[in-house]
Amino acid sequence: MASVSRSRLGAAGIPLVAAGVAVLLVFVLPVIGVALPYRGIPAIVVLAVAVLLLALLGVDNRAAMITLFIAGFGLVVYAVALLGLPLPGGVMTLALFVGIFGFVAATLVLFISRELRGAPGLALIVAAVLVSAWLFFAGDLQHALAVAAGIALAVTGVLFVRGGRSQP
């Protein structure tokens, strides 16, 4: 297991907290009466930036780094497709699947390789699964998943900032 400094992992945790807050706003804004047509897109962009910064700053595992880059790229393409820009058919669906499955796969690689253990590693896996479910499902379930995903991302970011890895 390669060692990553706590400050690097903490720096990667701050964007995760921001992504959690952005995802929570997707649910909170309509509840308080603020109607924005593209309110989910900034949350997806912030999440993509958080995933890319986690790849750059938070991990040493090459497989996880590559998978996180692919996931971040998929999320960026998905956000662009949501804006309504003309893209070839199926690109939006492919980008969504690459983004969500890449994020989950990277978190599993980080946990299995023991680069992230204990509470931070488990919290990142839970957050990735909840984010994937939030992006995949529609309707009322999507609002509940947005709240759960936002809270999970924020908690994961706080755990990263507070110390990151558990001791062996």
Side-chain angles (χ1 to χ4, degrees), residues 37-55:
Y38 298 112
R39 68 181 182 273
I41 295 173
I44 294 170
V45 170
V46 172
L47 178 64
V49 168
V51 168
L52 291 170
L53 286 175
L54 181 61

Side-chain angles (χ1 to χ4, degrees), residues 127-153:
V129 169
L130 288 172
V131 164
S132 299
W134 165 62
L135 291 173
F136 190 72
F137 291 109
D140 291 335
L141 181 61
Q142 190 177 32
H143 295 296
L145 289 169
V147 171
I151 291 169
L153 284 168

